[in-house]
Amino acid sequence: MKNIDWTRLLYIVGYHIFLGVALPLFFIERLPPAGIVWSMIALVFATGIAITSGYHRLYSHQAYKAHPIVEVVLLFFATLATQGSALRWCYDHRLHHAFVDTDKDPYSVTKGFWHAHITWIFFKTDEIDPKVVADLYRNKLLVFQHKYYGACLVVASTSVFALFGWLFQDYWASFVFIWWLRTFLLHHSTWSINSLAHMWGTQAYSREHSAVDNYLISLITYGEGYHNYHHTFSNDYRNGIRWYHFDPGKWLIWCLNKVGLAKDLRQVNDFRILRQLVSDHKVLLVDKIKVSFYSHKDRLESRLTELNDSLVGKLSQVQSLIDRYKAVEKRERAKLIGEIRSAKKSLKSSWKEWKNFVKLLERGRVEKLV
Ligand SMILES: [Zn+2]
Ligand SMILES: [Zn+2]
């Protein structure tokens, strides 16, 4: 009991109870004004994206650099999200990445869905170790927000509630929907990243941690549902790397970059991503060989290793040639073009061999492989 953080517990349980009573009473009497509902939805998105693009990708992972004006806007909406100061949030999040799925992970899913989703918040957390967030302590805006977080939260929440109450001349609807239902929806969507995005989905990039990719989760978490990719390449400013992946945080950062309000966007190159995909797939295939084709285990494993080494080596070779091409003077580039072409050709044939091996193995046609 002495480890319970009563302020957080009473706040969260309190507003859930309040909504449980206030919402039915509200709907028995009338419907909320449409303007209030649309404003609430817009604010849920604004605050969610501020957490994603601000607290998460900008501050926790330094995936890009933002203009101070952008920082102020992101911090305003992230404060409104009621998830603690940026320093506290980033400290917990960096521990989550560094010690994922262990006791040192503040919201480890190994302790169950409810712990990762909500109950970890009810317990006192360690004091912030300044070494972990030393870079953030150099940012005066963040230090100010951390020091006066309570006051910032009250000012932001009451002013937004009052603004929309005045705008639609309905302070009660604004109080229930703009303040508390918005907080409820936002909290549960962010918390889903710690719970659902570590339980329900696929693990294409790595099986060394519990994080999963799930398109449906990305829809309710402002693009944070590609969590397996994120835990594997956490400094990438994107979570969904394909153009069609729903990732408003990525789109916002990209747009800010185009208008000069964000720079130094960090992006993992495709060859490194492909190397990771192939290496992780190899682990799966080794397991499959052990389980399904034990009598051919040695020969299949050695062929698999041979193909994997060749493919990974060629991916690295093409990447280093491209890096060299970018680094040298223009007149020296012509010589490298031929080398890059032949390295890509050789990579293509290794890729074909790899795919063929995987296809035959997955269809159980091992007689063609041994
Ligand atoms: Zn995670
Ligand atoms: Zn992260």
Side-chain angles (χ1 to χ4, degrees), residues 4 11 45 71 106 114 136 147 165 174 187 198 208 213 238 268 280 301 333:
I4 289 177
Y11 173 79
F45 268 91
E71 284 197 66
W114 288 110
L136 304 182
K147 202 168 169 190
S174 181
H187 274 172
H198 277 268
E208 285 174 12
D213 285 344
R238 312 159 302 168
V268 179
D280 201 66
E301 268 185 18
R333 286 183 176 177

Side-chain angles (χ1 to χ4, degrees), residues 241-276:
I241 56 170
R242 306 272 171 244
W243 66 267
Y244 52 84
H245 285 169
F246 182 76
D247 188 352
K250 165 186 77 177
W251 295 326
L252 174 71
I253 297 164
W254 186 87
C255 291
L256 289 172
N257 177 250
K258 292 295 164 204
V259 296
L261 291 171
K263 61 178 183 177
D264 300 342
L265 276 52
R266 292 163 81 174
Q267 183 173 327
V268 179
N269 72 56
D270 292 346
F271 293 103
R272 200 176 143 210
I273 295 172
L274 211 52
R275 268 203 322 261
Q276 178 65 31

Side-chain angles (χ1 to χ4, degrees), residues 244-353:
Y244 52 84
H245 285 169
F246 182 76
D247 188 352
K250 165 186 77 177
W251 295 326
L252 174 71
I253 297 164
W254 186 87
C255 291
L256 289 172
N257 177 250
K258 292 295 164 204
V259 296
L261 291 171
K263 61 178 183 177
D264 300 342
L265 276 52
R266 292 163 81 174
Q267 183 173 327
V268 179
N269 72 56
D270 292 346
F271 293 103
R272 200 176 143 210
I273 295 172
L274 211 52
R275 268 203 322 261
Q276 178 65 31
L277 277 171
V278 169
S279 305
D280 201 66
H281 201 175
K282 186 194 164 194
V283 178
L284 258 190
L285 294 172
V286 167
D287 286 348
K288 190 175 173 72
I289 290 170
K290 272 186 204 148
V291 174
S292 308
F293 312 109
Y294 194 81
S295 53
H296 302 298
K297 183 177 154 289
D298 292 344
R299 287 169 77 180
L300 286 174
E301 268 185 18
S302 86
R303 180 71 183 134
L304 179 69
T305 305
E306 194 186 312
L307 289 171
N308 181 268
D309 289 352
S310 158
L311 187 54
V312 169
K314 282 173 187 174
L315 281 165
S316 304
Q317 190 196 4
V318 173
Q319 180 58 49
S320 72
L321 281 168
I322 290 172
D323 290 344
R324 251 172 68 200
Y325 179 86
K326 285 180 189 161
V328 297
E329 302 266 324
K330 252 184 183 169
R331 57 193 156 81
E332 289 176 56
R333 286 183 176 177
K335 278 189 281 175
L336 285 172
I337 289 176
E339 271 190 70
I340 292 173
R341 262 196 210 126
S342 71
K344 276 189 174 171
K345 211 171 153 191
S346 163
L347 170 64
K348 219 171 164 183
S349 82
S350 283
W351 180 244
K352 229 170 152 181
E353 274 188 283

Side-chain angles (χ1 to χ4, degrees), residues 93 96-97 100 107 193-194 198 211 227 230-231:
H93 193 69
H96 170 61
H97 274 271
V100 66
Y107 27 88
I193 303 164
N194 303 333
H198 277 268
H227 210 51
H230 174 62
H231 268 268

Side-chain angles (χ1 to χ4, degrees), residues 17-29:
I17 293 171
F18 167 73
L19 280 174
V21 176
L23 276 175
L25 288 178
F26 195 100
F27 282 111
I28 286 170
E29 204 185 306

